[in-house]
PDB file of all heavy atoms in Angstrom:
ATOM      1  N   ILE A   1      -1.438   5.640   2.972  1.00  0.00           N
ATOM      2  CA  ILE A   1      -0.058   5.981   2.636  1.00  0.00           C
ATOM      3  C   ILE A   1      -0.051   7.304   1.883  1.00  0.00           C
ATOM      4  O   ILE A   1      -0.691   7.435   0.833  1.00  0.00           O
ATOM      5  CB  ILE A   1       0.605   4.888   1.772  1.00  0.00           C
ATOM      6  CG1 ILE A   1       0.514   3.524   2.463  1.00  0.00           C
ATOM      7  CG2 ILE A   1       2.063   5.249   1.498  1.00  0.00           C
ATOM      8  CD1 ILE A   1       1.082   2.382   1.637  1.00  0.00           C
ATOM      9  N   ASP A   2       0.632   8.281   2.450  1.00  0.00           N
ATOM     10  CA  ASP A   2       0.719   9.620   1.838  1.00  0.00           C
ATOM     11  C   ASP A   2      -0.665  10.160   1.508  1.00  0.00           C
ATOM     12  O   ASP A   2      -0.894  10.736   0.432  1.00  0.00           O
ATOM     13  CB  ASP A   2       1.611   9.594   0.598  1.00  0.00           C
ATOM     14  CG  ASP A   2       3.065   9.289   0.936  1.00  0.00           C
ATOM     15  OD1 ASP A   2       3.516   9.696   2.021  1.00  0.00           O
ATOM     16  OD2 ASP A   2       3.737   8.623   0.129  1.00  0.00           O
ATOM     17  N   GLY A   3      -1.607   9.927   2.432  1.00  0.00           N
ATOM     18  CA  GLY A   3      -2.943  10.490   2.295  1.00  0.00           C
ATOM     19  C   GLY A   3      -3.908   9.682   1.457  1.00  0.00           C
ATOM     20  O   GLY A   3      -5.069  10.076   1.300  1.00  0.00           O
ATOM     21  N   VAL A   4      -3.451   8.549   0.911  1.00  0.00           N
ATOM     22  CA  VAL A   4      -4.308   7.728   0.050  1.00  0.00           C
ATOM     23  C   VAL A   4      -4.482   6.346   0.683  1.00  0.00           C
ATOM     24  O   VAL A   4      -3.503   5.713   1.093  1.00  0.00           O
ATOM     25  CB  VAL A   4      -3.688   7.569  -1.356  1.00  0.00           C
ATOM     26  CG1 VAL A   4      -4.571   6.677  -2.233  1.00  0.00           C
ATOM     27  CG2 VAL A   4      -3.494   8.935  -1.999  1.00  0.00           C
ATOM     28  N   LYS A   5      -5.721   5.864   0.748  1.00  0.00           N
ATOM     29  CA  LYS A   5      -5.976   4.538   1.301  1.00  0.00           C
ATOM     30  C   LYS A   5      -5.455   3.488   0.324  1.00  0.00           C
ATOM     31  O   LYS A   5      -5.757   3.515  -0.873  1.00  0.00           O
ATOM     32  CB  LYS A   5      -7.471   4.345   1.544  1.00  0.00           C
ATOM     33  CG  LYS A   5      -7.789   3.121   2.399  1.00  0.00           C
ATOM     34  CD  LYS A   5      -9.243   3.106   2.838  1.00  0.00           C
ATOM     35  CE  LYS A   5      -9.521   1.937   3.773  1.00  0.00           C
ATOM     36  NZ  LYS A   5     -10.922   1.934   4.257  1.00  0.00           N
ATOM     37  N   GLN A   6      -4.646   2.551   0.849  1.00  0.00           N
ATOM     38  CA  GLN A   6      -3.992   1.566  -0.001  1.00  0.00           C
ATOM     39  C   GLN A   6      -4.192   0.158   0.574  1.00  0.00           C
ATOM     40  O   GLN A   6      -4.321  -0.029   1.784  1.00  0.00           O
ATOM     41  CB  GLN A   6      -2.477   1.827  -0.065  1.00  0.00           C
ATOM     42  CG  GLN A   6      -2.090   3.208  -0.545  1.00  0.00           C
ATOM     43  CD  GLN A   6      -2.040   3.307  -2.052  1.00  0.00           C
ATOM     44  OE1 GLN A   6      -2.354   2.350  -2.769  1.00  0.00           O
ATOM     45  NE2 GLN A   6      -1.643   4.464  -2.553  1.00  0.00           N
ATOM     46  N   SER A   7      -4.174  -0.819  -0.317  1.00  0.00           N
ATOM     47  CA  SER A   7      -4.111  -2.228   0.070  1.00  0.00           C
ATOM     48  C   SER A   7      -2.752  -2.747  -0.361  1.00  0.00           C
ATOM     49  O   SER A   7      -2.400  -2.659  -1.552  1.00  0.00           O
ATOM     50  CB  SER A   7      -5.219  -3.036  -0.609  1.00  0.00           C
ATOM     51  OG  SER A   7      -6.490  -2.643  -0.141  1.00  0.00           O
ATOM     52  N   VAL A   8      -1.980  -3.277   0.594  1.00  0.00           N
ATOM     53  CA  VAL A   8      -0.631  -3.733   0.283  1.00  0.00           C
ATOM     54  C   VAL A   8      -0.427  -5.132   0.838  1.00  0.00           C
ATOM     55  O   VAL A   8      -1.137  -5.581   1.748  1.00  0.00           O
ATOM     56  CB  VAL A   8       0.439  -2.784   0.869  1.00  0.00           C
ATOM     57  CG1 VAL A   8       0.253  -1.376   0.352  1.00  0.00           C
ATOM     58  CG2 VAL A   8       0.405  -2.805   2.391  1.00  0.00           C
ATOM     59  N   ALA A   9       0.547  -5.815   0.296  1.00  0.00           N
ATOM     60  CA  ALA A   9       0.855  -7.168   0.750  1.00  0.00           C
ATOM     61  C   ALA A   9       1.399  -7.140   2.168  1.00  0.00           C
ATOM     62  O   ALA A   9       2.173  -6.240   2.537  1.00  0.00           O
ATOM     63  CB  ALA A   9       1.862  -7.818  -0.187  1.00  0.00           C
ATOM     64  N   THR A  10       0.991  -8.108   2.952  1.00  0.00           N
ATOM     65  CA  THR A  10       1.527  -8.240   4.306  1.00  0.00           C
ATOM     66  C   THR A  10       3.045  -8.380   4.234  1.00  0.00           C
ATOM     67  O   THR A  10       3.576  -9.117   3.397  1.00  0.00           O
ATOM     68  CB  THR A  10       0.927  -9.479   4.993  1.00  0.00           C
ATOM     69  OG1 THR A  10      -0.488  -9.351   5.043  1.00  0.00           O
ATOM     70  CG2 THR A  10       1.472  -9.629   6.413  1.00  0.00           C
ATOM     71  N   GLY A  11       3.740  -7.654   5.111  1.00  0.00           N
ATOM     72  CA  GLY A  11       5.200  -7.693   5.115  1.00  0.00           C
ATOM     73  C   GLY A  11       5.848  -6.587   4.307  1.00  0.00           C
ATOM     74  O   GLY A  11       7.079  -6.480   4.282  1.00  0.00           O
ATOM     75  N   THR A  12       5.021  -5.746   3.647  1.00  0.00           N
ATOM     76  CA  THR A  12       5.581  -4.623   2.884  1.00  0.00           C
ATOM     77  C   THR A  12       6.284  -3.660   3.834  1.00  0.00           C
ATOM     78  O   THR A  12       5.775  -3.327   4.904  1.00  0.00           O
ATOM     79  CB  THR A  12       4.473  -3.878   2.123  1.00  0.00           C
ATOM     80  OG1 THR A  12       3.853  -4.771   1.201  1.00  0.00           O
ATOM     81  CG2 THR A  12       5.041  -2.682   1.367  1.00  0.00           C
ATOM     82  N   THR A  13       7.438  -3.204   3.436  1.00  0.00           N
ATOM     83  CA  THR A  13       8.194  -2.236   4.235  1.00  0.00           C
ATOM     84  C   THR A  13       8.281  -0.904   3.501  1.00  0.00           C
ATOM     85  O   THR A  13       7.980  -0.812   2.297  1.00  0.00           O
ATOM     86  CB  THR A  13       9.620  -2.739   4.510  1.00  0.00           C
ATOM     87  OG1 THR A  13      10.332  -2.787   3.254  1.00  0.00           O
ATOM     88  CG2 THR A  13       9.618  -4.109   5.147  1.00  0.00           C
ATOM     89  N   GLY A  14       8.717   0.102   4.217  1.00  0.00           N
ATOM     90  CA  GLY A  14       8.939   1.393   3.579  1.00  0.00           C
ATOM     91  C   GLY A  14       9.978   1.299   2.486  1.00  0.00           C
ATOM     92  O   GLY A  14       9.883   1.968   1.450  1.00  0.00           O
ATOM     93  N   THR A  15      10.975   0.455   2.691  1.00  0.00           N
ATOM     94  CA  THR A  15      12.040   0.296   1.700  1.00  0.00           C
ATOM     95  C   THR A  15      11.483  -0.218   0.372  1.00  0.00           C
ATOM     96  O   THR A  15      11.835   0.299  -0.700  1.00  0.00           O
ATOM     97  CB  THR A  15      13.117  -0.668   2.220  1.00  0.00           C
ATOM     98  OG1 THR A  15      13.634  -0.169   3.451  1.00  0.00           O
ATOM     99  CG2 THR A  15      14.250  -0.806   1.214  1.00  0.00           C
ATOM    100  N   THR A  16      10.612  -1.223   0.436  1.00  0.00           N
ATOM    101  CA  THR A  16      10.064  -1.773  -0.808  1.00  0.00           C
ATOM    102  C   THR A  16       9.041  -0.833  -1.428  1.00  0.00           C
ATOM    103  O   THR A  16       8.974  -0.702  -2.649  1.00  0.00           O
ATOM    104  CB  THR A  16       9.421  -3.139  -0.536  1.00  0.00           C
ATOM    105  OG1 THR A  16       8.435  -3.015   0.508  1.00  0.00           O
ATOM    106  CG2 THR A  16      10.460  -4.146  -0.107  1.00  0.00           C
ATOM    107  N   TRP A  17       8.234  -0.180  -0.612  1.00  0.00           N
ATOM    108  CA  TRP A  17       7.188   0.698  -1.153  1.00  0.00           C
ATOM    109  C   TRP A  17       7.802   1.912  -1.856  1.00  0.00           C
ATOM    110  O   TRP A  17       7.336   2.342  -2.898  1.00  0.00           O
ATOM    111  CB  TRP A  17       6.248   1.139  -0.035  1.00  0.00           C
ATOM    112  CG  TRP A  17       5.122   2.001  -0.524  1.00  0.00           C
ATOM    113  CD1 TRP A  17       5.045   3.355  -0.524  1.00  0.00           C
ATOM    114  CD2 TRP A  17       3.912   1.555  -1.139  1.00  0.00           C
ATOM    115  NE1 TRP A  17       3.873   3.792  -1.077  1.00  0.00           N
ATOM    116  CE2 TRP A  17       3.150   2.688  -1.465  1.00  0.00           C
ATOM    117  CE3 TRP A  17       3.390   0.284  -1.441  1.00  0.00           C
ATOM    118  CZ2 TRP A  17       1.908   2.612  -2.072  1.00  0.00           C
ATOM    119  CZ3 TRP A  17       2.143   0.206  -2.037  1.00  0.00           C
ATOM    120  CH2 TRP A  17       1.419   1.364  -2.344  1.00  0.00           C
ATOM    121  N   TYR A  18       8.862   2.454  -1.274  1.00  0.00           N
ATOM    122  CA  TYR A  18       9.462   3.675  -1.826  1.00  0.00           C
ATOM    123  C   TYR A  18      10.767   3.364  -2.580  1.00  0.00           C
ATOM    124  O   TYR A  18      11.635   4.235  -2.684  1.00  0.00           O
ATOM    125  CB  TYR A  18       9.751   4.679  -0.702  1.00  0.00           C
ATOM    126  CG  TYR A  18       8.512   5.242  -0.046  1.00  0.00           C
ATOM    127  CD1 TYR A  18       8.142   4.837   1.233  1.00  0.00           C
ATOM    128  CD2 TYR A  18       7.714   6.178  -0.699  1.00  0.00           C
ATOM    129  CE1 TYR A  18       7.011   5.351   1.850  1.00  0.00           C
ATOM    130  CE2 TYR A  18       6.584   6.706  -0.096  1.00  0.00           C
ATOM    131  CZ  TYR A  18       6.227   6.286   1.180  1.00  0.00           C
ATOM    132  OH  TYR A  18       5.107   6.800   1.779  1.00  0.00           O
ATOM    133  N   GLU A  19      10.898   2.161  -3.147  1.00  0.00           N
ATOM    134  CA  GLU A  19      12.158   1.782  -3.785  1.00  0.00           C
ATOM    135  C   GLU A  19      12.521   2.665  -4.971  1.00  0.00           C
ATOM    136  O   GLU A  19      13.700   2.781  -5.326  1.00  0.00           O
ATOM    137  CB  GLU A  19      12.103   0.316  -4.216  1.00  0.00           C
ATOM    138  CG  GLU A  19      11.026   0.004  -5.250  1.00  0.00           C
ATOM    139  CD  GLU A  19      11.026  -1.481  -5.612  1.00  0.00           C
ATOM    140  OE1 GLU A  19      12.027  -2.157  -5.311  1.00  0.00           O
ATOM    141  OE2 GLU A  19      10.021  -1.948  -6.180  1.00  0.00           O
ATOM    142  N   ASN A  20      11.531   3.312  -5.563  1.00  0.00           N
ATOM    143  CA  ASN A  20      11.805   4.181  -6.717  1.00  0.00           C
ATOM    144  C   ASN A  20      11.956   5.648  -6.336  1.00  0.00           C
ATOM    145  O   ASN A  20      12.096   6.502  -7.205  1.00  0.00           O
ATOM    146  CB  ASN A  20      10.699   4.029  -7.760  1.00  0.00           C
ATOM    147  CG  ASN A  20      10.674   2.647  -8.370  1.00  0.00           C
ATOM    148  OD1 ASN A  20      11.730   2.042  -8.610  1.00  0.00           O
ATOM    149  ND2 ASN A  20       9.477   2.113  -8.607  1.00  0.00           N
ATOM    150  N   ARG A  21      11.892   5.915  -5.034  1.00  0.00           N
ATOM    151  CA  ARG A  21      12.047   7.303  -4.578  1.00  0.00           C
ATOM    152  C   ARG A  21      13.308   7.413  -3.730  1.00  0.00           C
ATOM    153  O   ARG A  21      13.327   7.067  -2.552  1.00  0.00           O
ATOM    154  CB  ARG A  21      10.823   7.745  -3.766  1.00  0.00           C
ATOM    155  CG  ARG A  21       9.598   8.012  -4.627  1.00  0.00           C
ATOM    156  CD  ARG A  21       8.523   8.717  -3.811  1.00  0.00           C
ATOM    157  NE  ARG A  21       9.000   9.977  -3.262  1.00  0.00           N
ATOM    158  CZ  ARG A  21       8.259  10.764  -2.480  1.00  0.00           C
ATOM    159  NH1 ARG A  21       7.024  10.393  -2.146  1.00  0.00           N
ATOM    160  NH2 ARG A  21       8.745  11.894  -2.014  1.00  0.00           N
ATOM    161  N   LYS A  22      14.366   7.914  -4.340  1.00  0.00           N
ATOM    162  CA  LYS A  22      15.655   8.002  -3.660  1.00  0.00           C
ATOM    163  C   LYS A  22      15.687   9.116  -2.613  1.00  0.00           C
ATOM    164  O   LYS A  22      16.597   9.162  -1.781  1.00  0.00           O
ATOM    165  CB  LYS A  22      16.773   8.240  -4.682  1.00  0.00           C
ATOM    166  CG  LYS A  22      16.863   7.139  -5.745  1.00  0.00           C
ATOM    167  CD  LYS A  22      17.042   5.765  -5.119  1.00  0.00           C
ATOM    168  CE  LYS A  22      17.156   4.685  -6.185  1.00  0.00           C
ATOM    169  NZ  LYS A  22      17.210   3.325  -5.598  1.00  0.00           N
ATOM    170  N   ASP A  23      14.676  10.022  -2.650  1.00  0.00           N
ATOM    171  CA  ASP A  23      14.665  11.124  -1.694  1.00  0.00           C
ATOM    172  C   ASP A  23      14.048  10.738  -0.357  1.00  0.00           C
ATOM    173  O   ASP A  23      14.143  11.468   0.624  1.00  0.00           O
ATOM    174  CB  ASP A  23      13.901  12.321  -2.263  1.00  0.00           C
ATOM    175  CG  ASP A  23      12.445  11.991  -2.590  1.00  0.00           C
ATOM    176  OD1 ASP A  23      12.165  10.826  -2.952  1.00  0.00           O
ATOM    177  OD2 ASP A  23      11.594  12.895  -2.481  1.00  0.00           O
ATOM    178  N   VAL A  24      13.388   9.566  -0.290  1.00  0.00           N
ATOM    179  CA  VAL A  24      12.727   9.132   0.943  1.00  0.00           C
ATOM    180  C   VAL A  24      13.733   8.375   1.801  1.00  0.00           C
ATOM    181  O   VAL A  24      14.331   7.387   1.364  1.00  0.00           O
ATOM    182  CB  VAL A  24      11.506   8.246   0.643  1.00  0.00           C
ATOM    183  CG1 VAL A  24      10.865   7.766   1.950  1.00  0.00           C
ATOM    184  CG2 VAL A  24      10.486   9.020  -0.193  1.00  0.00           C
ATOM    185  N   VAL A  25      13.924   8.830   3.051  1.00  0.00           N
ATOM    186  CA  VAL A  25      14.929   8.231   3.926  1.00  0.00           C
ATOM    187  C   VAL A  25      14.331   7.594   5.176  1.00  0.00           C
ATOM    188  O   VAL A  25      15.018   6.879   5.912  1.00  0.00           O
ATOM    189  CB  VAL A  25      15.984   9.269   4.348  1.00  0.00           C
ATOM    190  CG1 VAL A  25      16.751   9.768   3.138  1.00  0.00           C
ATOM    191  CG2 VAL A  25      15.335  10.437   5.095  1.00  0.00           C
TER     192      VAL A  25
END
């Protein structure tokens, strides 16, 4: 994600991952 290898919960969406970034559409 954004160039960094990440471990995330199954079912994670872009909406939940970027919930604190209002500039991401």
Side-chain angles (χ1 to χ4, degrees):
I1 305 177
D2 294 327
V4 178
K5 193 169 184 178
Q6 303 275 3
S7 294
V8 302
T10 301
T12 299
T13 66
T15 302
T16 55
W17 182 263
Y18 293 107
E19 62 181 343
N20 294 322
R21 286 192 59 182
K22 301 304 181 185
D23 60 329
V24 178
V25 297

